[in-house]
Amino acid sequence: MTTAARIGIVTVSDRASAGVYTDEGGPAIRDYLAKVLTSPWEAVARVIPDDRRLIAETLIELADREGCCLVVTTGGTGPAPRDVTPEATEDVIEKPMPGFGELMRQVSLAKVPTAILSRQTAGIRGRTLIVNLPGRPRAIAECLDAVMPAIPYCIDLIEGPYLETDPALITAFRPKK
């Protein structure tokens, strides 16, 4: 029997964590992954405020203790003073993966000129890939469409579980053997 891959979904938002408004980013990520991934997986979700120390602790918890092979964050990637998700990510990763952020910004810039203000990043912590996404559901889907083809192979390379995608929606890149 195949064990389900564990995927962390972290919404970083002062207002959503306080219940001021409904979290839309986390559910958008969950829905996207449910649509695209065909291999078994389970979500480990968190909704937390924009606090650098707490974000870092949450990423460490999901990677080291919860055993998530992938942690996807939403929110906190802009230039506002409380937007500290990339800094918290950089605090805990061992290997930066700048190509993820570069590609997400390139794709987003084709849609909206303010994408240049976005600071998404990604990196590896142990056997976990951490990817920061913007906060808006439409931007989440656009960014995931761009980087998802590389995510399963990246997880293969860090010795994580085998993730399969629905080729009718996303073709995961894996080199021919």
Side-chain angles (χ1 to χ4, degrees):
M1 182 174 150
T2 304
T3 303
R6 294 173 61 80
I7 298 177
I9 299 172
V10 182
T11 299
V12 179
S13 167
D14 288 333
R15 293 177 291 170
S17 67
V20 174
Y21 72 77
T22 303
D23 171 25
E24 294 180 357
I29 293 169
R30 183 190 302 259
D31 292 348
Y32 181 93
L33 295 174
K35 181 177 72 172
V36 169
L37 292 176
T38 59
S39 52
W41 69 280
E42 63 180 283
V44 183
R46 303 285 186 270
V47 180
I48 60 174
D50 292 273
D51 176 90
R52 184 172 176 168
R53 182 189 54 76
L54 182 59
I55 297 165
E57 288 173 357
T58 301
L59 296 176
I60 290 168
E61 174 203 358
L62 293 172
D64 299 0
R65 292 187 285 288
E66 292 288 344
C68 295
C69 62
L70 173 65
V71 175
V72 186
T73 71
T74 177
T77 60
R82 298 280 298 159
D83 291 336
V84 293
T85 304
E87 288 78 14
T89 300
E90 290 165 0
D91 289 344
V92 304
I93 61 173
E94 297 147 359
K95 294 180 182 176
M97 301 294 290
F100 283 86
E102 293 165 5
L103 180 57
M104 288 187 281
R105 274 184 294 283
Q106 179 183 14
V107 166
S108 295
L109 276 168
K111 311 278 185 193
V112 58
T114 55
I116 198 166
L117 302 175
S118 190
R119 302 177 312 114
Q120 297 103 299
T121 192
I124 306 291
R125 178 180 177 84
R127 292 188 174 163
T128 304
L129 172 62
I130 300 170
V131 180
N132 300 154
L133 297 174
R136 299 193 190 288
R138 190 181 79 243
I140 288 168
E142 291 166 358
C143 288
L144 280 173
D145 280 347
V147 299
M148 186 54 77
I151 287 176
Y153 183 51
C154 182
I155 293 184
D156 291 350
L157 292 172
I158 60 174
E159 302 176 351
Y162 192 83
L163 295 181
E164 294 181 71
T165 58
D166 180 344
L169 300 172
I170 295 288
T171 302
F173 167 79
R174 287 192 166 96
K176 306 249 188 280
K177 293 184 179 186

